[in-house]
Amino acid sequence: MPRKKPFSVKQKKKQLQDKRERKRGLQDGLRSSSNSRSGSRERREEQTDTSDGESVTHHIRRLNQQPSQGLGPRGYDPNRYRLHFERDSREEVERRKKAAREQVLQPVSAELLELDIREVYQPGSVLDFPRRPPWSYEMSKEQLMSQEERSFQEYLAKIHGAYTSEKLSYFEHNLETWRQLWRVLEMSDIVLLITDIRHPVVNFPPALYEYVTGELGLALVLVLNKVDLAPPALVVAWKHYFHQHYPQLHIVLFTSFPRDPRTPQDPSSVLKKSRRRGRGWTRALGPEQLLRACEAITVGKVDLNSWREKIARDVAGATWGNGSGEEEEEEDGPAVLVEQQTDSAMEPTGPTRERYKDGVVTIGCVGFPNVGKSSLINGLVGRKVVSVSRTPGHTRYFQTYFLTPSVKLCDCPGLIFPSLLPRQLQVLAGIYPIAQIQEPYTAVGYLASRIPVQVLLHLRHPEAKDPSAEHPWCAWDICEAWAEKRGYKTAKAARNDVYRAANSLLRLALDGRLSLCFHPPGYSEQKGTWESHPETTELVVLQGRVGPAGDEEEEEEEELSSSCEEEGEEDRDADEEGEGDEDTPTSAPGSSLAARNPYALLGEDEC
């Protein structure tokens, strides 16, 4: 019998790693990183800088890796629509970490909170979005794909040749995701551009406005979403700003969970999460405004009476419904037809398309990640039909939903357009997955220099022996103080886990509990005018009328999540509504789950 060959522990570890990689079916041979702090091989390779002579694609970091076991029966690859962003060099990451430790934070003036869209996107420059190149029916699919790939590489080279990486923002480098946008624009009769009211300029690319209203000749509806997170005067100011600069826009104010702005807000509520019980989605503010905008656009070409009747039914149900048995009532409501789009939907449909075909208006919902596209669809439908998440890139391919027999909604994955925004602001806007940020401290410093984070969270300086004494703060100090207060410690040395604390602060800002709102140009000088504007008073009354007066609200202090294990957790809207879905309905004493049909808890698609 031959003698066994010696096998070291290191070789055994490598063998187990290769076995796991083969089992997961990772084509690139890299392990998916479930923890962004785990010095994994993928992290180390992604931080490695490359030479200037290499292709642009070599500088790309691919995020949101999903485990897969090869292509599915329909050829679906879960990593096909991953976020592709430009990779930060190791030197740049280290430089920002050093600045977070040394740079003393100074509060900025109110004028610096004003954002001008001309400074962000520079209309007329190369900061455009990729267009589908011309094609003909004589071209094969392979020829078309190759032509689109060449055109996209030329688009990237033009942008990176005009601006340095330090000036450019994060933007999408994945052609597959841009193809989703092309298809949605081609099949839409009306385009909804959803923006976050806290920073609408960040989410409004002028190039898309010019393309939709000019070349395509479609109507563009700007939806200012999450208006419950901003003062009513600021909402009205942004509305007039866009009306003045883009006169062809139809502007709609929307929020899935309105609240009465006249209710005083407790500063200590930063640590509390409001959990609603009841018909949350049916109380959305804005569906009726959106209906009126669509009626003005279609001008009788489509019968929208069924949509108006549905809104009336939802309002009546929210008014008369109580807190009992609403889970069952929602299940018995009218079904929503969902169409899963496959690769066949990406085939060219022709340069021209019939508008309002078969008496159906198709409304395409486009926008940046985390602006609330899926939540808006849930608010229009009146119940949760689309999963929502605070993780950018959660919606990976577009789907269509029939709101009524004559109204079809199309949900497009979030897309990041190129701009000159600071990358720290993009992180605060939820464009970059927080759990995968290599250096979150400068984003915390950007936030703390614009709102008093240390005051709102009652933080004590790490080096302060006397709590009443004043000490200069840097971004690292804020993260360390928050880690000390929340008890975030590292596993081995039990030091303050500043990385986890920084992630926690960024999630608070993304959820709106640390609310940072930007202003249109000139808002500081005209703030009094906007506060006394008639539309401001009207908005206050409207939010108070449709607010959560009939819902039960509970506030409880929770262990604020921060680490990357919550990457798949739902966003602000999902936290308030989705957790209510998970709670089992209250039952009479003595009843048990065995008395009910366990398969009734699953939908048809889940069985």
Side-chain angles (χ1 to χ4, degrees), residues 24-27 68-72 76-78:
R24 293 177 181 176
L26 299 182
Q27 299 177 358
S68 63
Q69 302 194 8
L71 299 179
Y76 172 67
D77 180 8

Side-chain angles (χ1 to χ4, degrees), residues 275-294:
R275 304 184 180 215
R276 287 186 174 88
R277 299 290 183 262
R279 292 177 169 268
W281 298 109
T282 57
R283 291 190 173 275
L285 169 67
E288 191 170 352
Q289 293 186 32
L290 181 58
L291 170 60
R292 290 199 297 265
C294 293

Side-chain angles (χ1 to χ4, degrees), residues 498-520:
V498 291
Y499 183 87
R500 183 181 178 189
N503 278 7
S504 175
L505 293 171
L506 294 180
R507 294 186 190 279
L508 287 177
L510 179 58
D511 290 344
R513 286 184 270 177
L514 288 174
S515 185
L516 173 61
C517 297
F518 288 87
H519 309 153

Side-chain angles (χ1 to χ4, degrees), residues 3-162:
R3 186 176 180 179
K4 291 184 179 180
K5 185 178 181 180
F7 202 68
S8 66
V9 176
K10 186 175 181 180
Q11 289 174 313
K12 182 64 176 178
K13 184 178 180 181
K14 180 65 168 59
Q15 183 188 54
L16 293 175
Q17 288 177 356
D18 294 339
K19 183 178 179 181
R20 283 195 295 267
E21 290 169 0
R22 290 194 302 269
K23 186 176 180 181
R24 293 177 181 176
L26 299 182
Q27 299 177 358
D28 54 0
L30 293 178
R31 289 174 295 161
S32 63
S33 175
S34 61
N35 191 321
S36 59
R37 293 173 291 162
S38 66
S40 64
R41 182 167 38 175
E42 181 180 8
R43 164 65 64 84
R44 291 197 298 271
E45 291 187 7
E46 286 178 344
Q47 289 182 343
T48 303
D49 196 9
T50 54
S51 63
D52 295 336
E54 295 181 352
S55 172
V56 176
T57 56
H58 292 177
H59 298 268
I60 302 305
R61 185 184 183 194
R62 295 167 175 83
L63 306 175
N64 295 346
Q65 169 74 30
Q66 300 294 322
S68 63
Q69 302 194 8
L71 299 179
R74 297 183 179 179
Y76 172 67
D77 180 8
N79 293 309
R80 181 176 180 178
Y81 305 109
R82 291 173 65 183
L83 295 174
H84 291 189
F85 289 157
E86 186 179 8
R87 180 187 306 161
D88 293 323
S89 65
R90 180 182 300 175
E91 292 77 10
E92 177 65 18
V93 172
E94 294 300 326
R95 184 191 66 80
R96 293 204 300 254
K97 286 183 179 179
K98 183 178 180 181
R101 288 175 174 269
E102 299 176 353
Q103 188 174 356
V104 177
L105 299 177
Q106 299 292 339
V108 302
S109 60
E111 287 74 13
L112 293 180
L113 291 178
E114 299 177 357
L115 282 181
D116 191 352
I117 198 168
R118 292 169 294 184
E119 299 176 359
V120 173
Y121 286 99
Q122 294 188 350
S125 65
V126 296
L127 297 178
D128 203 340
F129 73 98
R131 317 290 175 85
R132 170 173 277 183
W135 58 273
S136 64
Y137 285 108
E138 287 75 19
M139 299 174 63
S140 65
K141 181 177 179 180
E142 291 72 20
Q143 291 175 333
L144 178 62
M145 303 282 277
S146 176
Q147 180 177 340
E148 291 176 352
E149 181 67 33
R150 287 196 305 270
S151 175
F152 184 68
Q153 292 300 325
E154 294 173 359
Y155 159 80
L156 292 178
K158 187 184 301 182
I159 292 180
H160 287 285

Side-chain angles (χ1 to χ4, degrees), residues 242-412:
F242 283 104
H243 264 311
Q244 178 183 357
H245 289 81
Y246 304 97
Q248 298 185 49
L249 281 178
H250 301 262
I251 300 181
V252 172
L253 308 180
F254 200 96
T255 179
S256 297
F257 292 97
R259 64 172 178 84
D260 191 348
R262 295 169 292 190
T263 304
Q265 298 295 314
D266 184 7
S268 63
S269 62
V270 173
L271 303 182
K272 298 182 183 295
K273 178 184 289 185
S274 176
R275 304 184 180 215
R276 287 186 174 88
R277 299 290 183 262
R279 292 177 169 268
W281 298 109
T282 57
R283 291 190 173 275
L285 169 67
E288 191 170 352
Q289 293 186 32
L290 181 58
L291 170 60
R292 290 199 297 265
C294 293
E295 287 177 337
I297 295 170
T298 57
V299 289
K301 297 177 182 177
V302 179
D303 185 8
L304 299 179
N305 288 328
S306 58
W307 190 0
R308 183 172 296 280
E309 293 172 0
K310 183 189 183 307
I311 293 177
R313 287 196 305 268
D314 291 342
V315 172
T319 303
W320 295 102
N322 51 28
S324 62
E326 292 182 3
E327 303 283 343
E328 289 77 4
E329 288 178 10
E330 290 191 3
E331 290 181 1
D332 295 338
V336 177
L337 178 60
V338 181
E339 294 181 347
Q340 300 275 354
Q341 302 296 338
T342 60
D343 282 348
S344 60
M346 303 307 296
E347 299 292 338
T349 57
T352 60
R353 188 182 67 86
E354 180 184 353
R355 298 279 180 85
Y356 314 119
K357 186 177 181 180
D358 299 327
V360 177
V361 57
T362 302
I363 303 176
C365 302
V366 301
F368 280 58
N370 267 317
V371 295
K373 296 183 296 297
S374 299
S375 298
L376 180 138
I377 291 180
N378 289 334
L380 293 177
V381 173
R383 65 179 185 275
K384 187 174 182 179
V385 295
V386 189
S387 64
V388 289
S389 173
R390 66 157 68 97
T391 303
H394 178 72
T395 304
R396 292 184 176 86
Y397 50 88
F398 75 92
Q399 292 179 324
T400 57
Y401 308 85
F402 275 90
L403 180 62
T404 68
S406 61
V407 180
K408 182 167 66 173
L409 302 175
C410 185
D411 188 17
C412 179

